[in-house]
Amino acid sequence: MFEKERKDLIDSLRQKGIKDETVLSAMLKVERHEFVQKIMIPHAYKDVALPIGYGQTISQPYTVAVMTESLKLQPGNKVLEIGTGSGYQAAILNEMGMNVFSIERNEDIYRKVQKFFDEKNIRVLVRCSDGTIGWSEYAPYDGIIVTAGSPTIPENLKKQLAIGGRLVIPVGDMKTQSLKILHKVNEDEFEETEIPNFAFVPLIGREGWKKK
Ligand code: SAH
C-alpha cells in the first residue's frame, strides 16, 4: 500500500539534501502509515509531523532522515533512542540493521508501542522510564538519538556513548531547537556540530524540562 506515495516522499527527501542511501532505503521500506492514527493515514506520506495522541507527535520524515544520517551508523551498531513515541524512528533504525534500545516515559504510549512492535515483529527493546538518565545496562552505545527537545545535553547520555559514537539531540527552548551532534572522540572530548531550526515536543525528566 502507498508505494507511490512513499517513493515520492523519499525522492523529496533526496532533493532536500539527504544523501545516505541506507537511510533512504529504510524509509522507503518502513510503512509510515502504520505508525499514525487512522484519521491521519491520508497525510502519512506528507513531509510533516503528525499528532499521535497524548499531545505528542511522530517526527517529520525529513527530521527523522537528518537525525538518522547524522549518526553515521554501521549495521549491527547499538543505538539508544529517547522518546519511542509511535515507534517509527526506532523501526527505521531496526530496518537499517541496528540493535535498537528505546525509552518512552509516557506509560500509555509505552504500552501501545510495545504491543505494536510485538504484533509487527519489530525487534526493538523498549522500556518505560526517564530517558534523560539513559539505559546503563546496555551502554556504551554507538549512537544515541533523542527525539524530544531539551534545555541541555544530559550528562548520562554523554557518558553512555561509546568512544567514536555520536549523540544527536535537539537543544533549545520549548518552541525551537537546534540539532546538536556530538561526536565522542575521547572520554571527555566531544566535537560538536549544529543544525538550526527544528521544533520538537519537550523532553521531560531529571535532566530535561521539569514539567510541561
Ligand atoms: N521518535 C518518536 C517521536 C515521538 S515524540 C517517533 O518516531 O514517533 C517524543 C516522545 O518523547 C514522546 O512520546 C514523549 O512522551 C517522549 N518523552 C519525553 N520526555 C521523555 C523522557 N525523559 N524519556 C523518555 N521519553 C520521553
Side-chain angles (χ1 to χ4, degrees), residues 24 30 34 47 68 95 97 116 121 124 128 137 141 147 163 165 167 176 179 185 190 195 197 199 206:
L24 292 167
V30 175
E34 298 215 318
D47 192 14
T68 311
E95 181 62 41
F116 176 77
N121 221 344
V124 168
C128 188
E137 286 95 317
Y141 301 94
T147 66
I163 291 173
L167 161 68
T176 54
L179 279 185
V185 290
F190 293 85
I195 317 175
N197 284 323
R206 204 169 80 189

Side-chain angles (χ1 to χ4, degrees), residues 35 52-54 56-59 64 81-90 102-106 109 127 129-133 146-149 200-206 208:
F35 294 78
I52 57 170
Y54 315 97
Q56 307 300 321
T57 55
I58 175 172
S59 301
V64 171
E81 177 191 33
I82 314 300
T84 322
S86 69
Y88 180 70
Q89 173 72 69
S102 187
I103 308 177
E104 172 55 55
R105 77 177 278 274
N106 179 301
I109 297 177
R127 115 185 222 191
S129 63
D130 174 9
T132 67
I133 289 148
V146 183
T147 66
F200 286 81
V201 295
L203 181 76
I204 297 161
R206 204 169 80 189

Side-chain angles (χ1 to χ4, degrees), residues 66-119:
V66 168
M67 292 182 93
T68 311
E69 184 173 66
S70 75
L71 291 175
K72 296 194 172 35
L73 298 164
Q74 299 298 323
N77 277 177
K78 218 194 298 177
V79 183
L80 175 66
E81 177 191 33
I82 314 300
T84 322
S86 69
Y88 180 70
Q89 173 72 69
I92 296 293
L93 290 163
N94 179 63
E95 181 62 41
M96 289 169 67
M98 307 308 157
N99 194 0
V100 188
F101 300 82
S102 187
I103 308 177
E104 172 55 55
R105 77 177 278 274
N106 179 301
E107 224 173 278
D108 295 324
I109 297 177
Y110 161 76
R111 271 199 225 102
K112 203 170 157 201
V113 75
Q114 179 68 267
K115 185 165 169 272
F116 176 77
F117 283 162
D118 288 346
E119 281 166 10

Side-chain angles (χ1 to χ4, degrees), residues 23-42:
V23 174
L24 292 167
S25 65
M27 292 184 75
L28 188 60
K29 206 146 173 220
V30 175
E31 303 187 302
R32 191 172 186 251
H33 69 270
E34 298 215 318
F35 294 78
V36 302
Q37 295 169 320
K38 269 206 184 73
I39 54 158
M40 290 298 161
I41 290 177

Side-chain angles (χ1 to χ4, degrees), residues 3-4 10 54-55 94 125 152 161 172 175 184 189 204:
E3 274 83 9
K4 164 90 170 66
I10 297 335
Y54 315 97
N94 179 63
L125 204 59
T152 53
L161 194 61
K175 281 218 172 84
K184 188 165 181 171
E189 204 187 325
I204 297 161

